[in-house]
């Protein structure tokens, strides 16, 4: 009997049957993988790698001093922890900087906020100087003269809307129904008083057909002062008849009016009664609606509606001026560069101011108009014939004096005067 036969006999059970073979492709305890002979099946002899440990029954129980590797024992080695998935978060330590759970530190947030504030500050300062450089100043409008009223508390603006067609093409004049009138007259005049204290501003309409004494020209309608001597004579006339010192002057023509309204996306107005006025190119239904630039121009110019057309006209002008300035000064317009920049461009191109008025003064004007000012008109009653022809509107002397005295002394206007206006 050969040596191989004797070995198999020693390992076989007593009936001579061969011992079952372990799968060739499995790992043997403490050994290397076995290799199956080609064509072999279950029970086929296997060949071990050189120097492999002899085959035997599987050992049971851990070896002393051994350690388990993936459920198996490995003697003579230190414990090995199971591998973690790359996507499994670590039990200790901060999350990966590139992971979805990355946190922004407080210092980083402060840097971002500071950077945004610096950019906004630079933008605001740059816009301020840009607006200031574009304002068209009129020299000598507020020049001193003999007998001029002394400076009074608070700040007073004379706001003038002229009927200038400058900048309008023939097609635009036809569309806006402005006519072909030559020269330039004041279509609307308002006196805005901004108090030094906490009282609300007061906006007073000065009817353009008011009978007044124009210095050096005699008795005539108020709007004739502009036609006779421009803004300088108009300011002097207003100061003479009211006793109120004028600190700032601002004027806007038809074209600029339309551009500003369109720049803010139109203005919402509550139209108190339907208007159909072909002369003003206007047809509006009753109720709250957004007016475009051309509609707004017709709205403040029309004399349709009311028993006293000129009186109703001044009310519409104050209503609209408050609405357009309030919207222009709203955060939604000012912080949006797509509206703020076109608005600043349109406004600076549309208005003319006295040479002493700057961007800061314009901002003060906008804030005052956005503060819902008290609005009224100079109380009037009756008519007066003027030498130039036609009739002019006479002021109620006593109530008009009470109104202007309140403005001069930086006091609230009496309620009965407001109701009369």
């Amino acid at each position: 009997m050969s040596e191989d036969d004797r070995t198999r006999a020693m390992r076989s059970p007593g009936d001579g049957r061969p011992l079952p073979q372990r799968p060739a492709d499995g790992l043997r305890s403490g050994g290397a993988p076995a290799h199956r002979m080609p064509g072999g099946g279950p029970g086929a002899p296997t060949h071990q790698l050189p120097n492999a440990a002899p085959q035997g029954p599987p050992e049971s129980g851990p070896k002393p001093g051994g350690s388990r590797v993936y459920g198996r024992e490995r003697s003579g080695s230190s414990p090995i922890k199971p591998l973690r998935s790359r996507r499994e978060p670590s039990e200790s330590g901060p999350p990966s900087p590139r992971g979805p759970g990355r946190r922004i530190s407080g210092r980083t947030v402060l840097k971002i906020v500071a950077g945004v504030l610096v950019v906004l500050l630079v933008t605001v300062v740059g816009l301020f100087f840009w607006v200031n450089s574009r304002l068209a100043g009129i020299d000598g409008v507020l020049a001193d003269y003999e007998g001029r009223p002394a400076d009074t508390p608070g700040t007073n603006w004379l706001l003038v809307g002229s009927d200038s067609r400058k900048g309008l093409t023939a097609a635009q004049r036809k569309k806006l129904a402005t006519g072909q009138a030559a020269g330039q007259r004041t279509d609307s005049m308002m006196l805005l008083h901004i108090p030094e204290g906490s009282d609300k501003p007061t906006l007073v309409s000065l009817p353009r057909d008011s009978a007044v004494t124009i210095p050096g020209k005699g008795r005539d309608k108020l709007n004739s002062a502009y036609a006779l001597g421009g803004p300088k004579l108009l300011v002097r006339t207003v100061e003479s008849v009211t006793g109120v010192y004028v600190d700032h002057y601002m004027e806007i023509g038809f074209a600029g009016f339309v551009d500003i309204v369109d720049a803010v996306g139109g203005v919402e107005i509550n139209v108190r009664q339907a208007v159909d006025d072909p002369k003003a190119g206007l047809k509006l239904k009753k109720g709250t609606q957004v007016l475009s630039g051309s509609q707004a121009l017709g709205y403040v110019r029309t004399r349709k509606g009311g028993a006293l057309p000129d009186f109703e006209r001044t009310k519409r002008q104050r209503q609209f001026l408050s609405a357009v300035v309030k919207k222009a000064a709203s955060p939604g317009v000012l912080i949006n560069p797509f509206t703020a920049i076109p608005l600043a461009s349109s406004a600076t191109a549309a208005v003319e101011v006295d040479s002493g008025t700057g961007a800061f003064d314009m901002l003060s004007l906008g804030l005052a108009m956005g503060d819902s000012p008290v609005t009224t008109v100079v109380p009037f009653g009756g008519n007066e014939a003027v030498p130039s022809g036609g009739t002019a509107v006479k002021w109620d002397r006593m109530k008009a004096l009470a109104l202007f005295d309140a403005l001069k002394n930086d006091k609230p206007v009496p309620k009965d005067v407001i109701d009369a206006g």
Side-chain angles (χ1 to χ4, degrees), residues 230-248:
K232 183 176 181 179
L233 183 57
L234 175 62
V235 169
R236 184 172 179 178
T237 302
V238 170
E239 288 182 334
S240 298
V241 298
T242 65
V244 176
Y245 183 93
V246 175
D247 297 283
H248 298 285

Side-chain angles (χ1 to χ4, degrees), residues 69-83:
V69 181
Y70 299 107
R72 294 175 53 81
E73 294 296 333
R74 179 177 179 178
S75 67
S77 64
S78 60
I80 300 179
K81 295 181 180 180
L83 294 175

Side-chain angles (χ1 to χ4, degrees), residues 250-265:
M250 186 181 78
E251 177 187 327
I252 184 171
F254 285 166
F257 186 96
V258 174
D259 290 342
I260 289 176
V261 176
D262 288 338
V264 298

Side-chain angles (χ1 to χ4, degrees), residues 50-325:
N51 301 324
Q55 294 183 2
E59 299 174 353
S60 62
K63 293 182 179 181
S67 59
R68 185 174 298 276
V69 181
Y70 299 107
R72 294 175 53 81
E73 294 296 333
R74 179 177 179 178
S75 67
S77 64
S78 60
I80 300 179
K81 295 181 180 180
L83 294 175
R84 293 182 181 273
S85 169
R86 289 186 178 181
R87 295 185 179 181
E88 182 179 352
S90 174
E91 295 179 359
S92 63
S96 171
R98 296 184 180 180
R102 182 181 180 183
R103 296 179 180 178
I104 300 177
S105 67
R107 181 175 296 179
T108 302
V109 172
L110 289 177
K111 288 181 178 179
I112 294 174
V113 172
V116 172
L117 291 177
V118 169
V119 171
L120 287 177
L121 180 61
V122 171
T123 302
V124 170
V125 172
L127 186 62
F128 175 86
F129 284 105
W130 178 69
V131 169
N132 209 51
S133 66
R134 285 175 55 88
L135 285 174
I138 308 174
D139 292 329
V141 176
L142 302 180
D144 284 332
Y145 55 88
E146 186 178 353
R148 186 181 187 188
D151 192 4
T152 52
T155 303
N156 301 305
W157 285 77
L158 180 59
L159 308 175
V160 175
S162 74
D163 62 359
S164 171
R165 278 76 172 169
K166 183 180 179 180
L168 294 176
T169 64
Q172 288 174 322
R173 291 187 182 191
K174 182 177 181 180
K175 179 182 178 181
L176 299 175
T178 62
Q180 303 295 325
Q184 187 171 345
R185 292 171 296 276
T186 49
D187 207 53
S188 63
M189 287 162 286
M190 301 181 201
L191 193 60
L192 173 68
H193 175 72
I194 304 175
E196 291 182 347
S198 59
D199 294 325
K200 284 186 173 295
T202 303
L203 182 65
V204 182
S205 288
L206 308 174
R208 67 174 192 171
D209 290 336
S210 299
V212 296
T213 300
I214 301 175
K217 305 295 180 181
R219 202 73 174 165
D220 209 334
K221 296 179 181 179
L222 180 59
N223 68 339
S224 297
Y226 191 100
L228 294 171
K232 183 176 181 179
L233 183 57
L234 175 62
V235 169
R236 184 172 179 178
T237 302
V238 170
E239 288 182 334
S240 298
V241 298
T242 65
V244 176
Y245 183 93
V246 175
D247 297 283
H248 298 285
Y249 175 88
M250 186 181 78
E251 177 187 327
I252 184 171
F254 285 166
F257 186 96
V258 174
D259 290 342
I260 289 176
V261 176
D262 288 338
V264 298
V267 177
E268 186 176 83
I269 291 291
N270 180 19
V271 180
R272 295 182 174 86
Q273 64 182 52
V275 181
D276 187 2
D277 185 3
K279 290 184 178 180
L282 183 67
K283 187 172 185 179
L284 297 175
K285 61 183 180 180
K286 182 180 178 180
T288 301
Q289 53 205 285
V290 177
L291 304 186
S292 65
S294 58
Q295 289 176 317
L297 180 60
Y299 183 73
V300 298
R301 292 183 61 228
T302 183
R303 298 194 180 192
K304 293 283 186 178
L308 298 172
D310 280 336
F311 178 72
E312 293 297 328
R313 188 168 180 257
T314 61
K315 289 175 63 176
R316 288 193 298 270
Q317 290 170 349
R318 295 193 304 274
Q319 176 197 21
F320 182 80
L321 180 61
S322 297
V324 71
V325 175

